[in-house]
Amino acid sequence: MQQIKYDHIVVRFGELSTKGKNKKDFVNRLLENIRLTLKDLGNLNYEKAHDRLYIYLNDTDEEMVIARLKNVFGISSFSLAFKLEKDMDVIKAEALNIAQKTQANTFKIFTKRSDKTFHKTSDEINRDVATVILRNTNLKVDVKNPELKIYVEIRVHHAYIMSEIIKGANGYPVGVAGKAMMMLSGGIDSPVAAYLMMKRGVKIECIHFASSPYTSQQALDKVLKLAEIVAKYQGSIKVHIVPFTNLQLAIYQNVHESYCITLMRRMMYRLAQGLALKNKCLILASGESIGQVASQTLESMSVINAAITMPMVRPLATFDKTEIIDLSKKIETYETSILPFEDCCTIFTPKNPVTKPKLDRVEYFETRFDYQSLIAEAIAQTETRYIHCGNNENELF
Ligand code: ATP
Ligand code: MG
């Protein structure tokens, strides 16, 4: 079978998110993100319409383009297409060309006419195009379950013809909603939360608390690998690695064992807020889920949250663990997340952490050591890495 060499890709975006000024920002950001995602693939040209983007392929390998577009948030669907003159003979010839190169036995034509001045209606176009295919091939029409669908679109300046609608990643273009500081551990939850944040159009930077020498280089490598896997949704990700050991040791020397986790998490939140402010992030995000562990009861969350003023978004707050695992398999972080290397929490975990911590006790424990200096020190010693997704070295903004 001969391959069809399409010359364009038509990119469609969701209607929900495309109103007023937001729509302009949405489309501009989406175009920019697509441009950067595909930058190294070849000499592509772009055209913007009010409800579409067109990519002119210029002989670029379409498989690579398709694979990358599937990870761009803000795209509802896209199709390989031919851009044609608005001439029925040209349209019929191209539809026949597609039909002749297919292995399908049945087909159906779907026409959409946004240019209402065009001299034929959608029904007439459907019929004319189908007639040519019926006369010149062995294909039969099947209106219910066609094996080959041919889409014809009559726009103002051109016609487009395409044979497959490929699902996009949906969501909003990354960056359109600003930036968050994402707390990334080596676990299952936080990479999934990172993915969901980006899907809402939020660009993320990651913060990771490392407890060297109690945690290994492998534990850190695992976190960086997870960052690399999710980096494909925004091109690259900054990971801030915060040395957390001194704070943890101070907590364990000064705080009742049952309150160690509560204090540790308040310190994490403070560090995340400090780095968020430094890096122009508007909010924080984590992989916390209500009730999953002692530090994620509503009482714990409320006492821990009281340490900061910045909003903390928890995309997984209401998810079941099984739902989180399903998503982590889908985004391919699961296999890395379940590698056995310990992160800082698991090593310093006390046997009986309090599930209903009291704020006054927490505040008393925090008077027993100079945590502000330790926080300032940890922020000063933070190391920032730039993680790029696989073969694409482009940062999206
Ligand atoms: P995960 O599966 O993501 O590790 P978890 O269920 O193990 O989450 P916790 O260890 O209590 O839960 O952590 C809750 C959240 O706190 C994590 O999802 C992550 O956002 C953040 N977090 C925990 N440990 C770290 C760490 N070492 N560095 C950065 N963030 C962390
Ligand atoms: Mg964890």
Side-chain angles (χ1 to χ4, degrees):
M1 196 183 75
Q2 264 178 287
Q3 252 227 288
I4 305 172
K5 190 79 193 130
Y6 291 95
D7 55 9
H8 275 76
I9 291 184
V10 174
V11 176
R12 303 175 197 86
F13 32 87
E15 287 160 32
L16 265 180
S17 48
T18 51
K19 305 244 160 69
K21 161 153 187 334
N22 285 349
K23 173 171 171 171
K24 208 169 147 227
D25 292 348
F26 181 106
V27 178
N28 288 338
R29 173 65 66 190
L30 180 60
L31 177 59
E32 196 49 26
N33 289 358
I34 292 175
R35 213 191 272 278
L36 286 164
T37 307
L38 304 178
K39 198 167 111 187
D40 58 326
L41 290 187
N43 182 22
L44 300 152
N45 294 106
Y46 299 87
E47 193 191 324
K48 202 163 61 172
H50 74 285
D51 59 344
R52 293 291 161 80
L53 294 172
Y54 299 102
I55 306 172
Y56 177 50
L57 285 167
N58 260 328
D59 284 331
T60 307
D61 173 15
E62 59 194 41
E63 291 307 318
M64 292 284 280
V65 176
I66 291 173
R68 299 256 183 108
L69 285 181
K70 281 184 179 166
N71 294 327
V72 178
F73 290 126
I75 297 179
S76 58
S77 70
F78 58 99
S79 298
L80 287 162
F82 289 111
K83 182 179 184 179
L84 305 172
E85 274 173 60
K86 287 164 69 176
D87 176 317
M88 279 310 290
D89 288 336
V90 174
I91 294 168
K92 284 191 273 189
E94 205 55 75
L96 180 59
N97 174 36
I98 294 174
Q100 281 171 334
K101 287 178 181 157
T102 180
Q103 284 173 326
N105 298 306
T106 57
F107 75 103
K108 180 176 175 182
I109 311 293
F110 298 82
T111 300
K112 197 168 149 193
R113 191 182 58 140
S114 29
D115 172 12
K116 300 292 178 207
T117 66
F118 192 69
H119 65 281
K120 282 188 183 278
T121 65
S122 300
D123 277 348
E124 287 167 341
I125 298 169
N126 282 342
R127 233 172 298 131
D128 286 8
V129 174
T131 305
V132 173
I133 294 175
L134 288 168
R135 282 205 186 122
N136 295 285
T137 70
N138 294 325
L139 275 83
K140 303 261 177 299
V141 172
D142 182 343
V143 289
K144 286 222 176 90
N145 249 328
E147 289 168 30
L148 171 68
K149 296 174 182 169
I150 297 181
Y151 299 88
V152 178
E153 288 202 14
I154 310 292
R155 309 278 296 184
V156 176
H157 300 294
H158 291 93
Y160 290 85
I161 191 161
M162 47 219 147
S163 73
E164 196 192 349
I165 295 183
I166 302 164
K167 267 201 196 146
N170 289 314
Y172 301 159
V174 173
V176 83
K179 202 160 66 167
M181 185 61 75
M182 174 79 225
M183 292 169 56
L184 184 68
S185 68
I188 294 171
D189 304 337
S190 46
V192 173
Y195 161 84
L196 292 173
M197 291 302 290
M198 290 185 277
K199 190 169 184 197
R200 280 297 89 184
V202 180
K203 179 168 177 161
I204 58 164
E205 292 189 12
C206 294
I207 182 168
H208 177 71
F209 305 100
S211 307
S212 166
Y214 301 97
T215 54
S216 63
Q217 181 61 39
Q218 286 149 310
L220 179 60
D221 289 345
K222 174 179 163 184
V223 173
L224 297 175
K225 178 69 195 166
L226 289 168
E228 187 190 320
I229 297 171
V230 298
K232 62 173 171 278
Y233 303 104
Q234 64 173 36
S236 67
I237 288 187
K238 268 196 217 175
V239 181
H240 305 282
I241 303 158
V242 182
F244 199 49
T245 316
N246 290 345
L247 264 163
Q248 277 180 308
L249 292 174
I251 291 169
Y252 279 82
Q253 277 156 19
N254 293 290
V255 179
H256 187 274
E257 196 194 331
S258 63
Y259 268 74
C260 284
I261 291 279
T262 315
L263 265 91
M264 207 175 77
R265 295 202 60 83
R266 279 168 64 93
M267 299 304 160
M268 286 183 173
Y269 273 38
R270 288 183 174 115
L271 286 162
Q273 177 172 267
L275 276 165
L277 289 169
K278 218 172 144 180
N279 291 280
K280 301 194 171 60
C281 298
L282 291 170
I283 56 161
L284 308 178
S286 79
E288 288 160 301
S289 179
I290 297 170
Q292 205 185 75
V293 288
S295 62
Q296 293 168 28
T297 62
L298 295 186
E299 290 85 354
S300 284
M301 279 187 185
S302 129
V303 166
I304 293 164
N305 216 121
I308 55 164
T309 52
M310 210 177 244
M312 168 67 80
V313 173
R314 301 174 180 89
L316 304 178
T318 62
F319 281 44
D320 288 345
K321 193 75 188 186
T322 50
E323 293 170 321
I324 302 172
I325 289 174
D326 286 348
L327 257 179
S328 80
K329 287 181 178 163
K330 184 182 140 195
I331 64 167
E332 295 174 345
T333 51
Y334 183 74
E335 293 301 327
T336 305
S337 288
I338 59 171
L339 292 173
F341 313 114
E342 306 280 1
D343 72 7
C344 66
C345 300
T346 27
I347 282 172
F348 285 92
T349 302
K351 276 175 222 74
N352 294 308
V354 60
T355 53
K356 295 183 180 182
K358 301 279 172 290
L359 191 56
D360 53 353
R361 286 206 76 192
V362 166
E363 284 170 348
Y364 160 70
F365 288 131
E366 285 179 354
T367 61
R368 295 183 58 174
F369 63 106
D370 180 11
Y371 71 84
Q372 279 105 336
S373 301
L374 290 168
I375 283 182
E377 214 172 84
I379 288 185
Q381 288 167 6
T382 293
E383 181 202 344
T384 300
R385 301 261 186 101
Y386 290 79
I387 306 297
H388 297 285
C389 66
N391 51 6
N392 189 2
E393 300 251 316
N394 306 320
E395 181 162 13
L396 287 188
F397 73 120

